């Protein structure tokens, strides 16, 4: 019997790659995102019998509820939730950051994620399904300008671990995936500058959306008695950040 994955942020990057990987693996996919034209292109590519699309902003709760209520029968039983949709807005330090950007990140990365998860939990429990939440190495390693983005990803990691505890005995698996540098349009959106994005990835080999999609697929298709609690991964060319040291005498 074909299983169904509900993937948010499926219009680009990791979410798009994950939708393709799960369909390739024989799953049905509910692909969601804000850009309907990209979702339709994905459905045309992979087939309407394998992909159902739902265009909405995950932070819009009524739209999310309506999309779930409208799922057609072949896609109505969700076996896997992939909470991939997220925002990283701006690179300014906290004292110079835009408060609207902070609030939007919290609304998307935290509030929308927990709302959708809570909405689908009864079904996931009934079907002994799984949840994969996309966190980040920013949850563990702070960096200048990472302020609220890193805080939201730390929340995602801790929420995932809390879900594991709450869902003990239900058979539902929960995993926090925590990637380092992945080259997608995500960085361009964050910096607002293609040149800055290109410089960020220059002269190194970052991970790709396909790399993370393969990891998500592996986690989701492990034997049902195995749970990966948290999985941190980086490209070989990236390692742990060094400590910041201010040396006033050298200014």
């Amino acid at each position: 019997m074909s299983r169904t994955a509900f993937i948010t942020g499926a219009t680009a990057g990791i979410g798009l790659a994950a939708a393709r990987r799960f369909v390739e693996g024989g799953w049905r996919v509910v692909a969601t995102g804000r850009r309907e034209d990209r979702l339709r292109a994905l459905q045309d590519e992979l087939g309407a019998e394998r992909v159902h699309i739902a265009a909405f902003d995950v932070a819009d709760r009524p739209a999310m509820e309506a999309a779930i209520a409208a799922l057609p029968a072949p896609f109505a039983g969700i076996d896997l939730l992939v909470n991939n949709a997220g925002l990283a807005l701006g690179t300014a330090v906290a004292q110079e950051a835009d408060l609207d950007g902070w609030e939007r990140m919290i609304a998307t990365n935290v509030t929308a994620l927990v709302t959708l998860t809570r909405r689908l939990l009864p079904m996931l429990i009934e079907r002994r399904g799984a949840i994969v939440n996309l966190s980040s190495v920013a949850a563990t390693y702070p960096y200048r300008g990472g302020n609220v983005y890193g805080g939201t990803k730390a929340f995602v990691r801790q929420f995932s671990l809390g879900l594991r505890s709450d869902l003990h005995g239900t058979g539902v698996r929960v995993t926090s995936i925590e990637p380092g540098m992945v080259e997608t349009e995500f960085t361009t959106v964050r910096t607002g500058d293609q040149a800055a994005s290109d410089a960020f990835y220059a002269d190194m080999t970052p991970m790709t959306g396909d790399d993370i999609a393969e990891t998500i697929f592996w986690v989701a298709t492990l034997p049902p008695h195995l749970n990966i609690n948290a999985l941190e991964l980086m490209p070989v060319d990236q390692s742990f950040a060094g400590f910041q040291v201010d040396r006033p005498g050298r200014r």
Side-chain angles (χ1 to χ4, degrees):
M1 182 182 298
S2 179
R3 290 179 287 178
T4 300
F6 190 109
I7 302 174
T8 66
T11 58
I14 293 170
L16 175 60
R20 288 171 171 153
R21 181 65 185 90
F22 276 90
V23 168
E24 178 188 334
W27 290 55
R28 293 189 182 95
V29 168
V30 177
T32 81
R34 291 176 296 160
R35 293 172 286 190
E36 186 173 0
D37 57 333
R38 292 196 179 192
L39 291 174
R40 291 201 178 282
L42 176 65
Q43 188 180 56
D44 290 344
E45 173 191 341
L46 300 177
E49 72 284 358
R50 307 304 299 178
V51 176
H52 173 76
I53 61 172
F56 63 93
D57 186 331
V58 289
D60 183 342
R61 182 173 177 179
M64 177 268 288
E65 292 279 4
I68 294 172
L71 290 175
F75 295 90
I78 306 301
D79 301 284
L80 170 68
L81 170 60
V82 179
N83 278 313
N84 166 71
L87 289 173
L89 299 175
T91 57
V93 294
Q95 61 271 30
E96 299 170 6
D98 173 50
L99 186 57
D100 289 341
W102 279 9
E103 291 178 344
R104 189 176 173 201
M105 280 190 282
I106 293 168
T108 301
N109 299 0
V110 175
T111 306
L113 182 146
V114 301
T115 301
L116 178 58
T117 301
R118 179 62 184 87
R119 175 63 175 77
L120 293 181
L121 270 177
M123 184 187 305
L124 292 165
I125 291 170
E126 178 184 349
R127 299 173 72 90
R128 299 177 70 86
I131 301 166
V132 174
N133 292 326
L134 267 294
S135 179
S136 167
V137 295
T140 303
Y141 309 106
Y143 59 91
R144 184 176 175 85
N147 40 67
V148 169
Y149 175 72
T152 64
K153 291 305 182 179
F155 175 90
V156 170
R157 184 181 199 279
Q158 193 64 28
F159 179 64
S160 301
L161 297 177
L163 280 176
R164 274 282 289 141
S165 179
D166 290 345
L167 294 170
H168 181 79
T170 67
V172 177
R173 299 182 293 168
V174 185
T175 300
S176 173
I177 301 287
E178 300 161 15
M181 295 172 71
V182 183
E183 187 170 14
T184 67
E185 67 179 43
F186 185 83
T187 304
T188 306
V189 171
R190 182 173 196 185
T191 61
D193 184 346
Q194 184 63 52
S197 177
D198 293 343
F200 184 69
Y201 296 113
D203 302 318
M204 58 89 66
T205 305
M207 296 182 293
T208 67
D210 288 337
D211 293 329
I212 310 305
E214 189 63 42
T215 303
I216 296 169
F217 186 79
W218 172 73
V219 165
T221 55
L222 287 170
H225 68 285
L226 296 177
N227 191 92
I228 305 298
N229 296 328
L231 181 59
E232 178 185 295
L233 57 162
M234 292 181 175
V236 173
D237 290 341
Q238 181 186 23
S239 58
F240 318 110
F243 288 108
Q244 293 173 292
V245 179
D246 184 30
R247 304 184 191 276
R250 296 186 184 179
R251 292 178 185 167

